[in-house]
Amino acid sequence: MSGRVIVVGSVNVDLVVWSARLPAPGETVSGGRFEQHDGGKGGNQATAAARLGASVLLLGAVGADSFGAQARSALAAAGVDVSGLATNPTEATGIALILVDAAGENVISVASGANLALEPDAIEAELARLGSLVGDVVLVSNELVPSTAAAALRCARAAGARTIFNPAPAVGIDVSLLEFVDLLTPNRGELAVLSGRTGSDFDAASAARALPVREAVIVTLGSAGALVVPRDGAPWPVPATVVEVVDTTGAGDAFNGALAAALADGRSLEEAVRRAVAAGSLATTRPGAREGMPIPAELDVALGS
Ligand code: RIB
């Protein structure tokens, strides 16, 4: 029997403007097109895992506003259990303002609202309510108060779960929390921040080795795929699936959600990373963070299986 995927993370509504290019500071670029999408790293990751058939529970918070109601119903429609998604009576639902250019690259500015009002105690209580987490995968991202993310990882480990920490954004992270992390999934920039190593001689494998996680660091490399750096053993690369990129928003979330789903389903780390890389690539082929996230049949086609 498959384990559950429990996602602890943010829920946002994404307000997106598409234009030919991104403006420089102080510049106005006209002629864009507006779209509204469901977003937030936690909501996106939960959706990616649910779309791949996992049993998914999301712990997070929205505001008592129309954006919150919409975010909740979109998650429920995607098959995510939202019984642990709190409604904060005083804070607004998180909003992300996103600009996307013709190449699908983006810049994002987030007003976190209810996401940053989520206290460690609340997450601890929700995780305690779930009892034993043996066989389950708990996926935590950092668009929360860092102490809340840390509490989630600590409780998840204590309850027997396998833990994945997606350190995005890499702000305010106390690296001592890495002792509760089985798999860490930074991109190169996040890895540089966490390892304290920067500069032209930056080497992802040696930076990853410096981080004391239990199992492996999986460095996501965008169109170059991913590099898996096990705690013991040689690093191994996983190439990306070649796709026509429309919008890179949410690609990392698709990667993380697919990784968690595959591991909860009992797949090996190697197979799980291959599926995660393919899911991240496919997610870039449609506009919005969630629209391109694959169903199992699409993933099988991309993987040639
Ligand atoms: O990772 C992509 C997400 O980051 C967007 O959906 C946006 O809401 C921000 O949280």
Side-chain angles (χ1 to χ4, degrees):
M1 203 182 82
S2 298
R4 296 170 291 185
V5 172
I6 297 145
V7 177
V8 182
S10 59
V11 175
N12 295 331
V13 170
D14 292 352
L15 306 179
V16 186
V17 173
W18 294 72
S19 49
R21 64 182 177 81
L22 302 176
E27 185 191 16
T28 300
V29 173
S30 301
R33 179 180 94 247
F34 172 73
E35 289 177 7
Q36 184 177 320
H37 291 277
D38 301 301
K41 296 185 191 306
N44 296 343
Q45 292 170 357
T47 300
R51 203 166 283 179
L52 288 169
S55 168
V56 184
L57 177 70
L58 173 63
L59 307 182
V62 293
D65 48 26
S66 59
F67 281 149
Q70 178 195 314
R72 181 183 295 279
S73 65
L75 287 160
V80 175
D81 179 343
V82 289
S83 60
L85 183 65
T87 299
N88 186 310
T90 55
E91 298 287 339
T93 298
I95 294 290
L97 292 184
I98 303 181
L99 305 180
V100 186
D101 71 10
E105 289 301 332
N106 64 54
V107 292
I108 305 179
S109 184
V110 177
S112 291
N115 296 302
L116 284 193
L118 193 58
E119 301 280 347
D121 291 3
I123 288 299
E124 284 169 13
E126 283 296 333
L127 286 171
R129 181 175 71 83
L130 298 176
S132 168
L133 300 179
V134 173
D136 296 332
V137 174
V138 173
L139 167 59
V140 181
S141 49
N142 200 45
E143 218 170 36
L144 301 170
V145 176
S147 58
T148 299
L153 290 162
R154 190 179 58 246
C155 291
R157 166 64 65 74
R162 195 172 188 182
T163 59
I164 304 174
F165 183 41
N166 173 222
V171 176
I173 297 173
D174 178 348
V175 289
S176 68
L177 70 70
L178 295 179
E179 76 173 283
F180 307 116
V181 174
D182 291 308
L183 296 164
L184 182 73
T185 58
N187 63 23
R188 276 177 68 91
E190 291 151 0
L191 176 61
V193 171
L194 287 179
S195 64
R197 300 185 185 189
T198 48
S200 54
D201 60 345
F202 176 79
D203 175 63
S206 74
R209 282 220 183 288
L211 299 175
V213 301
R214 192 191 259 188
E215 227 177 302
V217 177
I218 307 168
V219 189
T220 55
L221 301 170
S223 60
L227 180 71
V228 182
V229 185
R231 188 178 174 118
D232 306 306
W236 39 278
V238 178
T241 307
V242 177
V243 293
E244 200 161 316
V245 175
V246 173
D247 182 2
T248 57
T249 310
D253 302 331
F255 176 97
N256 279 280
L259 179 71
L263 294 173
D265 197 28
R267 296 177 192 263
S268 69
L269 181 61
E270 183 175 354
E271 192 182 0
V273 177
R274 283 199 314 116
R275 293 176 73 82
V277 167
S281 299
L282 292 172
T284 67
T285 59
R286 296 203 188 112
R290 299 186 192 170
E291 280 74 353
M293 289 175 172
I295 59 172
E298 292 168 327
L299 202 53
D300 288 343
V301 169
L303 290 165
S305 53

